[in-house]
Amino acid sequence: MVTGVKKIVLWLMSTLTVVVLLFGYHTSTSSTSASAESSAVTPVGSGTSTSGGTSTSDGTGTGSSTGSSGSTVTGEAADTRWGPVQVQLTVTDGEITDVEVVEYPDGNRKDQQINARALPVLVQATLDAQSADVDMVSGATVTSEGYLESLQSALDQAGLS
Amino acid sequence: MGMPVSLAVRGPAGLPAVEAAWAAVVAELREVDRVFSRYRPDSVVSRLGRGELGLDDCPPEFAEVLALGARAEQESGGAFRVHRPGPDGALELDADGVVKGWAVQRAARHLADLPGTDFCLSAGGDLVCATADPGSPPWRIGIEDPHDPQRVLAVVPVTTGAVATSGTAHRGAHLVDARTGRPPTGVASVTVIADDLTWADLDATAAYAHGPGAADWLATRPGRTGLVVWADGTTTTIG
């Protein structure tokens, strides 16, 4: 830990790249998916050593649904960050088939800090991530299946500096 | 199948503190999965569907997510919906389009608690960025070329804010315009920069669902900037 540093920006380059795989998603080719996860922690940069670990676990299953058909229930109002919220659900044959929000707050939450209208700047010709000098990549949702081939994966492996 | 999550941090915090914050982020994302996953028979959503739980047994986050979905439906003119036809044609609840951005934004608070630390948390291509000091250099976020995901099409500097991209480059045609039930045409990807990943993600999805109207709709959204990449490779910057 470094303490007492004032105006001097002392970047230790303790950039950390971590990967974890969470959540199941539909894709066009698979309709159910397991919640698989693996995690690797790789600190990179000056003065740090590399440590890593990987673990994988799989859980699969779809719920067989039985249950009442066509019932509607209304919940108590819940306090949320956005204000009080009250919802009403309709459940048909074990699936939630309708949601009515009886009460919900207006207005977006105000954030404490606002980014200064950051605008995307097109690069001259499309570049690979190294040439574009980027820290992270935003793209259409990457799944764990697609991750290993993604630019973000390349960046994670190369480390960030 | 799952979603990769990457984290970059810079600053004086030691590795143990960062790893502890990371563990809290991961634990929270797993908890969200236990509540909202439609693929887990033991999730709150699944148990609610089977009538094993009542609404009042659900955590308050459940109502929060549903309310966000309702608001996004309204503000997108119906292009975005949290209901979609299931395999049997009946409507079923699919809150995934709300949960991801919301959950990652919420989990990022553990990183924001690290003193003096800049971070960039990415979940499947959507990011929450923060810099602790106004003088810190912004994170440089590359926007993937939907026509060649190995390449970067644009760069956006972000100090504190969120970036989300919707498109079909990696997952096939899974997004539909809820007004027609069909995949939108003419648009390859939409990237939205906003204060908060909850709304960056919702707006990217909703704009994408508008198809040819993506840029026009996004331009109506307060405080958002963005980039639309069209199917023909041309682009429109919003902001």
Side-chain angles (χ1 to χ4, degrees), chain A residues 15-16 18-20 22-23 26 34 37 61 76 94 109 115 118 121 126-127 132-133 135-136 138 144 149 156, chain B residues 1-3 5-7 9 22 30 38-39 49 56 64 125 140 142 144 150-152 155 159-160 165 196 225:
Chain A
T15 304
L16 187 73
V18 189
V19 178
V20 68
L22 289 168
F23 294 129
H26 272 299
E37 58 196 50
E76 301 281 324
R109 188 173 59 115
N115 193 57
V121 178
T126 57
L127 294 170
D133 185 25
D135 298 309
M136 288 280 203
S138 180
S144 57
E149 292 161 12
D156 289 345
Chain B
M1 258 299 297
M3 180 176 71
V5 181
S6 304
L7 169 67
V9 297
W22 168 250
R30 287 190 180 133
R38 294 181 299 133
Y39 311 111
D56 296 339
E64 184 173 333
R140 285 174 59 81
E144 183 184 274
Q150 292 297 306
R151 296 194 162 261
V152 167
V155 175
T159 51
T160 296
T165 298
D196 174 299
T225 57

Side-chain angles (χ1 to χ4, degrees), chain B residues 109-148:
Chain B
R109 74 181 190 278
H110 299 292
L111 299 162
D113 288 344
L114 291 169
T117 301
D118 298 346
F119 69 85
C120 183
L121 177 66
S122 164
D126 298 333
L127 313 111
V128 177
C129 304
T131 51
D133 183 323
S136 300
W139 291 101
R140 285 174 59 81
I141 308 304
I143 298 175
E144 183 184 274
D145 181 349
H147 297 103
D148 180 359

Side-chain angles (χ1 to χ4, degrees), chain B residues 17-42:
Chain B
V18 172
E19 288 186 333
W22 168 250
V25 168
V26 172
E28 184 163 319
L29 291 175
R30 287 190 180 133
E31 182 56 32
V32 168
D33 197 39
R34 277 191 284 274
V35 172
F36 290 101
S37 175
R38 294 181 299 133
Y39 311 111
R40 298 173 63 134
D42 60 340

Side-chain angles (χ1 to χ4, degrees), chain A residues 68-74 87-100, chain B residues 48-49 55 66 83 91-93:
Chain A
S68 58
S69 64
S71 60
T72 300
V73 286
T74 305
V87 297
Q88 178 179 297
L89 289 188
T90 302
V91 176
T92 307
D93 294 331
E95 294 283 349
I96 297 167
T97 53
D98 195 21
V99 178
E100 287 285 323
Chain B
L48 201 58
L55 262 182
L66 294 182
H83 295 87
L91 285 180
E92 56 183 53
L93 175 68

Side-chain angles (χ1 to χ4, degrees), chain B residues 90-106:
Chain B
L91 285 180
E92 56 183 53
L93 175 68
D94 178 1
D96 293 359
V98 181
V99 169
K100 183 186 168 194
W102 169 86
V104 175
Q105 178 68 51
R106 190 162 161 270

Side-chain angles (χ1 to χ4, degrees), chain A residues 7-9 12 21 26 38 41 43 61 63 67 70-71 73 87 101 118 121 125 128 134 144 152-153 160:
Chain A
K7 287 294 176 192
I8 301 164
V9 181
L12 296 179
L21 306 176
H26 272 299
S38 73
V41 179
S71 60
V73 286
V87 297
V101 177
V121 178
D128 62 38
V134 298
S144 57
Q152 186 64 53
S153 168
L160 309 167

